[in-house]
Amino acid sequence: LCAAIPTTDERLRRRIFHHAVFFAELSVLDYFFVPHKPSAIAIAAVLNAMEGIDQSYLPQDAQQTFLFNAKYLVGIVSPAKEALQLLQQHLWNAYIQSSQSSYITATPQSSPKYSAEDHSMECDPASVSQSPVSVAYPPNK
């Protein structure tokens, strides 16, 4: 699924990946996500991670391009727009309640959109050491 992220900057892709993994891990803690397909949760997690990236690092239509790439390059079809927005909102809520919420300074809109215009990340995408603590990818010591 990371191959569908529309960037040639591998450090940026890795940063988005680490944030997406963290968002996805948060879904394990909330019963709300149980009936949803893991692929839908993964797509919502990547979209949320992309929303946390400063617009100067990703193209304006990055999320739409990601959804297209996920479908045609990886073969994963995203859920309906409303279902995807609901998953994104629940992931944002779980993230805001987590102890790692200071790593992404963006906050979701009341109704998340596929555009990342209203979200930004205060830190340089090259600084992977500032990623949230992930169970799958613990910080390097």
Short mmCIF file of all heavy atoms in Angstrom, two decimals, residues 29 43 73 106 126 129 134-135 137 139:
data_model
loop_
_atom_site.label_atom_id
_atom_site.label_comp_id
_atom_site.label_asym_id
_atom_site.label_seq_id
_atom_site.Cartn_x
_atom_site.Cartn_y
_atom_site.Cartn_z
N LEU A 29 -7.41 -0.88 19.41
CA LEU A 29 -7.87 -0.55 20.76
C LEU A 29 -9.34 -0.14 20.82
O LEU A 29 -9.86 0.10 21.90
CB LEU A 29 -7.01 0.60 21.32
CG LEU A 29 -5.52 0.32 21.36
CD1 LEU A 29 -4.77 1.58 21.77
CD2 LEU A 29 -5.20 -0.82 22.29
N ILE A 43 -6.33 2.12 4.48
CA ILE A 43 -6.48 3.29 3.61
C ILE A 43 -6.76 4.53 4.44
O ILE A 43 -6.14 5.58 4.23
CB ILE A 43 -7.58 3.05 2.56
CG1 ILE A 43 -7.08 2.04 1.52
CG2 ILE A 43 -7.99 4.36 1.88
CD1 ILE A 43 -8.13 1.60 0.53
N LEU A 73 -2.92 0.19 -8.89
CA LEU A 73 -1.58 -0.37 -8.77
C LEU A 73 -1.50 -1.51 -7.76
O LEU A 73 -0.80 -2.48 -7.97
CB LEU A 73 -0.57 0.71 -8.37
CG LEU A 73 -0.39 1.88 -9.34
CD1 LEU A 73 0.62 2.87 -8.80
CD2 LEU A 73 0.04 1.39 -10.71
N ALA A 106 -1.42 18.42 13.31
CA ALA A 106 -2.67 18.62 12.59
C ALA A 106 -3.83 18.07 13.40
O ALA A 106 -3.68 17.16 14.20
CB ALA A 106 -2.62 17.90 11.25
N ALA A 126 11.94 14.46 6.90
CA ALA A 126 13.16 13.67 6.93
C ALA A 126 13.52 13.21 8.35
O ALA A 126 14.30 12.30 8.53
CB ALA A 126 14.31 14.48 6.35
N SER A 129 13.03 10.21 13.30
CA SER A 129 13.18 9.96 14.73
C SER A 129 12.06 10.58 15.55
O SER A 129 11.87 10.24 16.70
CB SER A 129 14.53 10.49 15.21
OG SER A 129 14.57 11.89 15.07
N SER A 134 5.66 3.16 17.74
CA SER A 134 4.84 2.12 17.15
C SER A 134 5.27 0.77 17.72
O SER A 134 6.45 0.52 17.93
CB SER A 134 5.05 2.13 15.64
OG SER A 134 4.56 0.96 15.06
N VAL A 135 4.30 -0.09 17.95
CA VAL A 135 4.61 -1.42 18.44
C VAL A 135 5.36 -2.21 17.36
O VAL A 135 6.32 -2.92 17.63
CB VAL A 135 3.32 -2.17 18.84
CG1 VAL A 135 3.63 -3.59 19.24
CG2 VAL A 135 2.63 -1.43 19.96
N TYR A 137 7.17 -0.96 14.91
CA TYR A 137 8.45 -0.34 14.59
C TYR A 137 8.91 0.50 15.77
O TYR A 137 8.76 1.70 15.77
CB TYR A 137 8.33 0.53 13.33
CG TYR A 137 7.95 -0.29 12.14
CD1 TYR A 137 6.62 -0.41 11.77
CD2 TYR A 137 8.91 -0.96 11.41
CE1 TYR A 137 6.26 -1.19 10.67
CE2 TYR A 137 8.56 -1.74 10.33
CZ TYR A 137 7.24 -1.85 9.96
OH TYR A 137 6.88 -2.61 8.90
N PRO A 139 11.20 2.68 18.34
CA PRO A 139 12.24 3.66 18.00
C PRO A 139 13.63 3.06 18.12
O PRO A 139 13.87 2.19 18.95
CB PRO A 139 12.03 4.76 19.04
CG PRO A 139 11.27 4.14 20.14
CD PRO A 139 10.48 3.01 19.55
#
